[in-house]
């Protein structure tokens, strides 16, 4: 079991709160709730988000592991209250629901969600016992955890950005050729986090069309880490290769059905001479690469180039024009249940993708430079950078 930067989340979508406990945060790391709240707010935005986002104002409360603005080295506990819980106190009561309160069971599983498989796995006749935890609401806690991870990475000049490259089959121009900081700026200013204005307008139109038809849309987002040093991850063992860790982390996000690193599936269609990034001398010393089709990873190890990953998000499972299902109580053919939902959450999923990239990279960073305190990590990192400078 790795002893660096491991975490658990807990909490149901309409329960009292979401919580997370992180073990392995280095002592001395500056931490404030404000660092984390920025990303929690970013996750709530996005054209096509549903009614829940009008209720919540996600903010983190740090319950342990931090004193006077600095991590202690002991477990950091994060809590995000669910404002909506006020409306669910009986439905989600830990004890008995209020006397006379309706015990409305959800028995019509939605194709595409965890509903049916989850109910069969855990023996739940009321699907609410599944959907409360399988909901994308859980990603709120992961974004909070990543706020700590991003803080650590920022101390060493590593930053992460995301942008949306496709929604409902509408994709950005392949000719779009912008610096990453310009992509970051445009994404932050876009309602769908798209850096290509004509595509942005078409994406918004596609979302409006889907909403009008009671349908939902998925899409693709890209996450990029800038400033990673050479040498994070390793080729020596299957579970230390960062391609694998990033793919697992991205595909663990609710509704993600695909992940690619760098050129990804396109690299399967081209000859090696059109894929591999040639190695050139950098006039300023060291090496540079002709391209970055590898997405910053070779042999599962960072090579000093931007680390690039993309994820394919399926359209959300709750359709206002429901698909066919079967009522678990009556075994009658029915329409699937309609739960409150988003029409499209791809922009928000990009923020969750940033979170998972930050968590994987912070973990790998601590594996390589790990120390108990930020000062110790700084010393280890400086010595390594010094050695790299001799190449
Ligand atoms: C979400 C919270 C959920 C959903 C959505 C995203 O809240 P509620 O169920 O109360 O509306 O709005 O989750 C899904 C669409 C899903 O299928 O899981 C959030 O906080 O991101």
């Amino acid at each position: 079991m790795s002893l660096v930067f491991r975490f658990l989340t807990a909490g149901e979508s309409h329960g009292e709160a979401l919580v997370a406990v992180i073990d392995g945060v280095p002592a001395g790391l500056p931490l404030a709730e404000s660092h984390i709240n920025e990303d929690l707010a970013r996750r709530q935005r996005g054209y096509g988000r549903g009614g829940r986002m009008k209720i919540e104002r996600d903010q983190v409360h740090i319950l342990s592991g931090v004193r006077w603005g600095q991590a202690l080295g002991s477990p950091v506990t994060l809590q995000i209250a669910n404002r909506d819980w006020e409306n669910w106190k009986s439905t989600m009561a830990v004890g008995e629901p209020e006397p006379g309160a309706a015990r409305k069971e959800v028995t019509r599983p939605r194709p595409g969600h965890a509903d049916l498989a989850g109910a069969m796995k855990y023996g739940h006749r009321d699907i609410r016992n599944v959907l409360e935890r399988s909901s994308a609401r859980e990603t709120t806690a992961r974004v909070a955890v990543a706020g700590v991870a991003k803080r650590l990475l920022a101390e060493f000049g590593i930053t992460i950005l995301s942008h949306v490259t496709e929604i409902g089959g509408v994709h950005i121009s392949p000719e779009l050729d912008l610096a990453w900081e310009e992509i970051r700026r445009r994404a932050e200013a876009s309602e769908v986090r798209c850096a290509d204005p004509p595509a942005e307008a078409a994406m918004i139109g596609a979302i409006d069309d889907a909403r009008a038809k009671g349908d939902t849309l998925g899409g693709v987002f890209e996450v990029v880490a800038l400033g990673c040093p050479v040498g994070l991850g390793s080729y020596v063992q299957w579970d230390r290769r960062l391609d694998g860790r990033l793919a697992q982390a991205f595909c663990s996000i609710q509704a993600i059905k695909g992940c690619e690193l760098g050129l990804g599936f396109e690299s399967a269609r081209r000859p090696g001479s059109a894929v591999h990034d040639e190695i050139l001398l950098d006039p300023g010393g060291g090496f540079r690469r002709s391209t970055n089709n590898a997405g910053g990873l070779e042999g599962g190890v960072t090579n000093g180039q931007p680390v690039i990953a993309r994820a394919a998000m399926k359209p959300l499972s709750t359709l206002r024009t429901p698909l066919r299902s079967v009522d678990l109580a009556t075994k009658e053919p029915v329409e699937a249940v309609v739960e409150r939902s988003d029409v499209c959450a791809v922009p928000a999923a990009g923020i969750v993708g940033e979170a998972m990239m930050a968590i994987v990279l912070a973990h790998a960073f601590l594996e390589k430079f790990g120390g108990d305190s930020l000062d110790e990590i700084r010393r280890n990192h400086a010595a390594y950078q010094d050695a790299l400078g001799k190449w």
Side-chain angles (χ1 to χ4, degrees), residues 76-381:
V76 173
T77 306
L78 307 174
Q79 175 181 294
I80 303 104
N82 284 320
R83 290 173 64 157
D84 202 14
W85 184 57
E86 284 306 314
N87 307 313
W88 296 78
K89 277 187 173 175
S90 181
T91 306
M92 291 302 292
V94 171
E96 284 304 307
E98 285 147 23
R103 289 180 175 233
K104 189 168 168 297
E105 293 196 339
V106 177
T107 58
R108 293 181 289 133
R110 297 161 294 178
H113 223 295
D115 297 359
L116 180 57
M120 295 173 80
K121 172 183 173 67
Y122 289 96
H124 287 314
R125 295 289 164 182
D126 179 358
I127 296 173
R128 179 156 301 286
N129 293 340
V130 176
L131 67 87
E132 284 292 332
R133 181 63 187 168
S134 62
S135 164
R137 180 71 188 153
E138 184 267 340
T139 64
T140 313
R142 297 201 226 179
V143 168
V145 168
V148 177
K150 284 184 174 184
R151 194 71 198 75
L152 172 67
L153 296 173
E155 289 289 328
F156 298 92
I158 301 168
T159 64
I160 295 172
L161 67 98
S162 69
H163 66 117
V164 170
T165 60
E166 256 187 83
I167 286 180
V170 176
H171 46 79
I172 62 174
S173 162
E175 274 77 57
L176 193 74
D177 181 15
L178 299 167
W180 290 122
E181 287 309 331
E182 176 60 11
I183 288 186
R184 185 202 305 268
R185 188 191 65 76
R186 290 187 183 196
E188 293 309 316
S190 164
E191 278 190 290
V192 287
R193 297 190 56 74
C194 176
D196 180 7
E200 175 191 40
M203 288 172 182
I204 290 172
I207 293 167
D208 288 339
D209 291 350
R211 179 185 291 110
K213 294 174 189 149
D215 216 328
T216 57
L217 290 183
V220 178
F221 58 80
E222 181 171 73
V223 181
V224 184
L226 302 172
C228 284
V230 175
L232 302 186
S234 177
Y235 53 82
V236 299
Q237 204 54 257
W238 70 275
D239 59 352
R240 295 183 58 186
R241 285 175 172 261
L242 287 195
D243 303 66
R245 286 187 180 177
L246 284 168
Q248 202 268 333
F250 272 56
C251 290
S252 76
I253 301 170
Q254 285 79 343
I256 301 303
K257 299 304 281 184
C259 176
E260 53 182 17
L261 287 308
L263 198 58
F265 277 78
E266 183 54 28
S267 51
R269 304 181 186 107
R270 298 184 186 179
S273 55
V275 171
H276 303 304
D277 307 309
E278 291 180 300
I279 299 167
L280 309 172
L281 281 172
D282 185 333
F287 309 105
R288 66 183 180 84
R289 310 302 286 265
S290 55
T291 48
N292 184 25
N293 293 324
L297 293 165
E298 288 169 314
V301 182
T302 52
N303 65 10
Q305 297 256 76
V307 176
I308 302 173
R310 276 181 304 288
M313 183 180 195
K314 71 183 183 188
L316 297 176
S317 315
T318 303
L319 307 185
R320 294 205 165 288
T321 310
L323 296 175
R324 288 177 297 170
S325 186
V326 174
D327 190 310
L328 302 187
T330 64
K331 298 299 184 301
E332 289 293 320
V334 292
E335 289 185 338
V337 70
V338 179
E339 287 283 323
R340 181 178 56 195
S341 177
D342 311 287
V343 175
C344 176
V346 178
I351 307 305
V352 185
E354 289 179 21
M356 298 318 291
M357 172 83 80
I359 287 165
V360 168
L361 291 179
H363 182 276
F365 192 90
L366 289 170
E367 273 183 333
K368 180 148 186 68
F369 303 112
D372 297 314
S373 71
L374 188 57
D375 286 345
E376 185 180 1
I377 296 168
R378 282 202 178 104
R379 289 195 295 274
N380 298 342
H381 179 258

